Amino acid sequence: MPLVTVAQLLAAAESGRYAVGAFNCNNMEIVQAIIEAAEAEKAPVIVQASQGAIKYAGLEYIVALTRVAAEKATIPVALHLDHGTSFEQCVQCIWSGFTSVMLDGSKHSLAENIALTNRVLAVARAVGVSVEAELGKISGTEDDIFVHEREAFFTDPAEAKEFVAATGVDALAVAIGTAHGQYKGRPELDFDRLAAIRELVGIPIVLHGSSGVPDEDIRRAVEIGVRKVNIDTNLREAFVAGVKEVLAQNPQEIDPRKVLGPAKQKMSAVIREKIRLFGSAGKA
Ligand code: G3H
Ligand code: 13P
Ligand code: ZN
């Protein structure tokens, strides 16, 4: 079926009290792994691409690959820009066929983040594209932030309320203790903060940096109101583990299909597990 918006998927997730998986892609095998897994689980799904992924694969390729995969699929698929940092990047994705964009204005002041998000919203609303914003700073695990400093970057619930009232975004990414990349220890999520934000904003919450977050914490976050869960690192790990496995067994292999095919299967298995964990299996 044609691509749908993230707002549509999250509205259904809101009434069903589950979360939709948002998986990062940057090549054909990853797009296929995402759609095949979602199709097997009869789950709605979000394919997302970062600015780095767009630079690597090319904007038109990302759109064309995802569009073809979605049109062949029987489940609803949305195509989302992950961590767009400029108005221009968001608009370029909107014109190219993305059905949702994230404007990550987290490095700006609250007032600047609101202003930038509103500029993107004005364009997105005119063409029915949904918008995710970020408040607080979601760090990278490599950022070596001391634990006592961490909370300085967390989303402030009162600011979140002000932000959502001033913008009307479809979904809000929050900083509550998750980080992008592989965790060194067990991440400590601030569930009280998550609950306070959710209570005050009443819109779908997005959890970034979700690879490596224990299953029980993901379940708890979804119970509180997380409706979109972003996964990238776990797919990278599965892909590369698959490639390494084939080449360890047969170092002479020269057929890319025999190297990447099993890697795709490994990613697909991870995505299926995540979809079940998020509660979106069978919801398409
Ligand atoms: O949030 C970050 C995503 O994992 C994308 O990472 O910028 O290396 O493509 P990337
Ligand atoms: P992970 O790579 O930690 O799964 O984070 C993904 C993400 O948040 C993409 O925006
Ligand atoms: Zn992210």
Side-chain angles (χ1 to χ4, degrees):
M1 57 178 87
L3 288 167
V4 300
T5 67
V6 164
Q8 267 171 271
L9 297 184
L10 300 191
E14 197 65 70
S15 20
R17 300 172 63 84
Y18 59 88
V20 181
F23 302 96
N24 286 72
C25 74
N26 54 58
N27 69 16
M28 182 186 76
E29 279 75 13
I30 307 177
V31 172
Q32 289 178 336
I34 297 167
I35 304 300
E36 283 168 23
E39 186 91 65
E41 293 296 333
K42 299 194 177 3
V45 78
I46 298 162
V47 173
Q48 59 185 15
S50 68
Q51 293 177 161
I54 289 169
K55 200 168 164 198
Y56 171 78
L59 186 60
E60 298 85 351
Y61 283 86
I62 297 277
V63 174
L65 285 168
T66 311
R67 207 176 251 161
V68 167
E71 273 161 13
K72 280 167 64 89
T74 58
I75 44 132
V77 180
L79 175 58
H80 175 75
L81 167 66
D82 187 32
H83 293 284
T85 51
S86 69
F87 171 77
E88 290 75 13
Q89 178 72 73
C90 290
V91 170
Q92 204 182 20
C93 285
I94 292 169
W95 291 145
S96 303
F98 279 58
T99 53
S100 175
V101 292
M102 173 186 189
L103 184 277
D104 178 354
S106 61
K107 68 170 196 278
H108 300 290
S109 67
L110 178 64
E112 284 164 350
N113 193 353
I114 289 173
L116 191 53
T117 304
N118 277 334
R119 276 184 76 201
V120 171
L121 271 163
V123 177
R125 288 282 179 259
V127 287
V129 162
S130 40
V131 177
E132 172 184 336
E134 176 173 326
L135 198 60
K137 286 192 181 66
I138 301 156
S139 56
T141 45
E142 72 284 0
D143 285 350
D144 264 338
I145 296 161
F146 290 111
V147 176
H148 65 274
E149 288 177 350
R150 258 182 1 141
E151 292 198 14
F153 300 107
F154 282 8
T155 309
D156 177 70
E159 273 193 9
K161 185 181 178 188
E162 186 184 338
F163 183 89
V164 170
T167 58
V169 283
D170 300 294
L172 185 68
V174 295
I176 56 156
T178 58
H180 295 114
Q182 284 170 319
Y183 291 97
K184 288 171 194 127
R186 186 191 160 117
E188 262 183 59
L189 273 57
D190 188 341
F191 291 105
D192 291 341
R193 184 180 297 269
L194 175 62
I197 297 167
R198 167 69 183 187
E199 175 84 24
L200 288 171
V201 303
I203 65 165
I205 304 291
V206 184
L207 194 67
H208 284 244
S210 307
S211 296
V213 174
D215 287 2
E216 70 240 48
D217 289 358
I218 295 282
R219 271 188 218 103
R220 198 166 156 196
V222 174
E223 266 165 37
I224 295 173
V226 162
R227 299 287 171 245
K228 172 174 179 278
V229 182
N230 287 10
I231 299 281
D232 188 357
T233 299
N234 283 160
L235 302 191
R236 297 179 182 198
E237 290 164 344
F239 193 131
V240 175
V243 169
K244 282 184 181 165
E245 215 171 272
V246 172
L247 294 178
Q249 277 163 14
N250 185 3
Q252 311 307 326
E253 183 58 68
I254 56 121
D255 185 342
R257 294 168 296 187
K258 297 202 171 126
V259 179
L260 299 185
K264 186 165 94 177
Q265 294 315 317
K266 267 201 187 298
M267 284 188 286
S268 210
V270 169
I271 297 164
R272 290 188 69 170
E273 268 174 39
K274 298 292 179 190
I275 284 173
R276 290 197 287 265
L277 173 64
F278 304 157
S280 56
K283 306 290 186 189

